Amino acid sequence: REDQALIGVGAILLHHLKEGQTITGLWDKVRGESSVGTYERFVLALDLLYIMGVVDISNGMIHREVS
């Protein structure tokens, strides 16, 4: 199911990532989402988004990449 796949978790993260924020701030926003589940799944979804070039991290802030 989509909500079980990391790409589905990534979509949830992107929904909450309207502007740059810290990883801790993003985790605090999504930790209650049942699809996100654990911190490990959260980090794996962030890794996937980073590898895909959708997000970037600089100066301790994560933000969407503008294409």
Side-chain angles (χ1 to χ4, degrees):
R1 296 185 345 209
E2 181 181 313
D3 64 333
Q4 296 291 315
L6 287 179
I7 196 73
V9 177
I12 292 169
L13 300 184
L14 287 175
H15 174 76
H16 289 278
L17 191 59
K18 305 271 192 251
E19 56 188 33
Q21 57 190 297
T22 64
I23 292 181
T24 302
L26 183 58
W27 170 243
D28 287 342
K29 287 183 177 181
V30 301
R31 70 188 315 163
E33 299 270 351
S34 62
S35 298
V36 174
T38 65
Y39 187 74
E40 181 178 296
R41 283 177 52 85
F42 168 77
V43 170
L44 288 172
L46 276 180
D47 287 345
L48 178 64
L49 293 174
Y50 180 79
I51 290 168
M52 293 172 59
V54 178
V55 299
D56 194 23
I57 301 172
S58 60
N59 297 324
M61 301 292 283
I62 185 165
H63 55 86
R64 287 182 175 208
E65 278 293 300
V66 179
S67 48

